[in-house]
Amino acid sequence: MKVTRWGILGCAKIAKDQVIPAMIKSENTKLLAIASRDKEKAADFSENFSIERVYEGYEKLISDPEIDAIYIPLPNHLHVPWSIKCVEAGKHVLCEKPISIKSKDVLKLFKAEEDSKKIIAEAFMVRFHPQWIKAKKLIGDGIIGKLTAIQGLFNYYNIDPDNIRNDADIGGGGVLDIGVYPIITSRFITGLEPRKVVSSMEFDPKFKTDILTSAILLFDDIQMSFTCSTQSHLMQHMRFIGTEGRLELPVPFNPLPDEKSKIYIWNDVKHPSENPKIIEIQKSDQYKIQIEAMNNSIQNKAPFPFDLEDSYKNMKIIDAIMNSSKSGKWEFI
Ligand SMILES: NC(=O)c1ccc[n+]([C@@H]2O[C@H](COP(=O)([O-])OP(=O)(O)OC[C@H]3O[C@@H](n4cnc5c(N)ncnc54)[C@H](OP(=O)(O)O)[C@@H]3O)[C@@H](O)[C@H]2O)c1
């Protein structure tokens, strides 16, 4: 059985809480090395997760000839430069979302991927969760009739000045951190791209990051709107509204791996007070499924299910949202 040997750049919270535990559980995966700017931090990770190799500095890890693939959970401004360095060193890359800060930077990744013949994949794990695969099938099969509108919400409250999300210079802000999820999942469900976008954004006076954003995206005749906030009470949902019903994912982005997720469906409703039908989805670790998909692509030379073109399209939408908040006008994509 082939095994993919992984290295990780940086002792990130997302690696500790989700991705390393998922790698440990994943088939055909060996987490071989961790690198940090601080050797002690890496040594702690190595001890906690039994990671064989510890590197002080990311360069040393990427030049380890026994590593096949690198997971990059660095702050957003480092995604593009380190993805390029990794593929140039002959490694496949799974890079955290958002893949870049501006869409034009994804063009550099296209070239690096083509030149190196290695995969660069953006880690939007939600697309691997069975709740999203089921929701797409149900909506595609017409369970809510013709889709007319989508409403998304993703909020948390975080005013920690040391958190990467609250530093505008390194790609902080709510849209890049969480606004990306209602967008990626609306594109996933509809298979469509929005034509134009209008947005309103509020910024923190000290951090200079966006803390409250609402946007409308027109996907053909489907009106999608979402709000995301880094300074509002913790909440998330995605609602899909059709001519004959409504489908809702109450925990669309962070479903717990050891609990069943739920899809709520209202159709044949005679009064808005009626309770939904509930479809239960098996317990699933979306990070584990994502790692296994990446292993499959590497080991079988198969394309990753979502390519850089898809990442580019997503970043074009983010650009338009940022531009619209400045222009106060619809921005075309
Ligand atoms: N897919 C998901 O579910 C999900 C969830 C959360 C976050 N994310 C993404 O994952 C990435 C990391 O997020 P996180 O919350 O895990 O971040 P974090 O805990 O702050 O970790 C980022 C790591 O990057 C390294 N780093 C290098 N240069 C840095 C700098 N200038 N400032 C701060 N850290 C620096 C640090 O590692 P060393 O000091 O060890 O070198 C740090 O531990 C982000 O891109 C975020 O969007 C994804």
Side-chain angles (χ1 to χ4, degrees):
M1 185 191 288
K2 288 191 225 157
V3 168
T4 305
R5 296 160 303 177
W6 285 86
I8 300 180
L9 303 186
C11 295
K13 185 170 185 316
I14 180 64
K16 175 160 71 69
D17 293 351
Q18 304 291 352
V19 178
I20 296 178
M23 281 179 170
I24 291 168
K25 285 186 275 174
S26 296
E27 306 265 332
N28 307 350
T29 306
K30 164 96 182 151
L31 174 52
L32 188 63
I34 177 91
S36 173
R37 298 168 302 171
D38 171 347
K39 194 161 188 186
E40 269 181 36
K41 257 176 31 180
D44 278 352
F45 264 54
S46 147
E47 197 180 315
N48 290 341
F49 295 110
S50 308
I51 307 170
E52 235 172 83
R53 301 182 191 176
V54 170
Y55 291 106
E56 184 172 9
Y58 307 150
E59 297 279 1
K60 288 188 191 140
L61 185 147
I62 67 175
S63 54
D64 180 334
E66 287 177 22
I67 289 174
D68 307 306
I70 296 182
Y71 168 60
I72 303 183
L74 296 173
N76 299 339
H77 73 307
L78 298 177
H79 291 177
V80 168
W82 281 102
S83 293
I84 293 173
K85 285 186 202 200
C86 290
V87 294
E88 284 177 353
K91 316 300 184 191
H92 299 281
V93 168
L94 178 66
C95 179
E96 265 309 337
K97 43 51 64 179
I99 194 111
S100 64
I101 292 176
K102 298 274 183 216
S103 65
K104 66 176 169 36
D105 294 326
V106 184
L107 303 176
K108 298 177 198 160
L109 296 180
F110 283 135
K111 182 168 180 344
E113 191 178 49
E114 197 183 317
D115 291 350
S116 65
K117 310 280 178 257
K118 299 290 164 190
I119 299 165
I120 302 176
E122 186 176 20
F124 269 119
M125 71 298 173
V126 287
R127 297 176 293 194
F128 293 95
H129 196 288
Q131 70 169 348
W132 278 106
I133 293 161
K134 182 74 177 177
K136 185 173 169 69
K137 169 105 178 62
L138 290 168
I139 293 170
D141 288 349
I143 198 158
I144 58 170
K146 184 182 172 317
L147 187 60
T148 55
I150 306 173
Q151 294 178 341
L153 183 75
F154 198 171
N155 297 339
Y156 56 72
Y157 191 84
N158 180 335
I159 53 166
D160 174 3
D162 295 327
N163 192 285
I164 58 169
R165 288 155 189 79
N166 294 324
D167 186 342
D169 293 339
I170 63 172
V175 170
L176 288 170
D177 192 43
I178 47 180
V180 288
Y181 286 103
I183 299 168
I184 199 97
T185 49
S186 297
R187 293 178 55 237
F188 177 75
I189 288 288
T190 60
L192 298 170
E193 299 300 329
R195 286 177 293 119
K196 59 177 185 174
V197 166
V198 69
S199 73
S200 170
M201 299 173 77
E202 294 292 326
F203 292 81
D204 185 281
K206 200 163 68 203
F207 302 145
K208 312 289 181 213
T209 51
D210 56 287
I211 55 169
L212 177 63
T213 296
S214 295
I216 303 174
L217 285 66
L218 290 195
F219 288 74
D220 291 344
D221 54 355
I222 302 165
Q223 297 195 359
M224 183 268 181
S225 60
F226 77 89
T227 295
C228 68
S229 175
T230 61
Q231 294 187 20
S232 297
H233 188 63
L234 182 74
M235 188 170 174
Q236 53 184 250
H237 68 231
M238 287 296 292
R239 290 181 176 146
F240 297 87
I241 296 127
T243 49
E244 293 162 38
R246 167 180 146 211
L247 180 149
E248 182 169 330
L249 280 78
V251 192
F253 311 123
N254 303 115
L256 295 169
D258 45 7
E259 282 182 16
K260 288 181 179 172
S261 0
K262 293 188 173 95
I263 297 176
Y264 297 147
I265 296 163
W266 290 260
N267 51 12
D268 293 328
V269 165
K270 306 286 179 291
H271 191 272
S273 61
E274 284 177 34
N275 289 326
K277 296 169 193 146
I278 298 176
I279 297 183
E280 285 198 327
I281 307 292
Q282 75 267 23
K283 297 173 193 172
S284 305
D285 183 336
Q286 54 192 349
Y287 299 93
K288 173 174 179 282
I289 305 171
Q290 177 174 255
I291 288 290
E292 289 171 354
M294 188 73 187
N295 288 345
N296 177 54
S297 295
I298 294 168
Q299 290 164 14
N300 300 313
K301 299 195 186 325
F304 190 70
F306 306 97
D307 61 12
L308 278 180
E309 185 66 37
D310 189 88
S311 299
Y312 181 65
K313 288 176 179 162
N314 219 55
M315 290 312 305
K316 292 285 280 183
I317 301 166
I318 307 290
D319 288 352
I321 289 172
M322 306 286 189
N323 290 341
S324 171
S325 84
K326 289 188 198 128
S327 69
K329 294 181 183 151
W330 285 97
E331 293 286 334
F332 289 83
I333 297 163

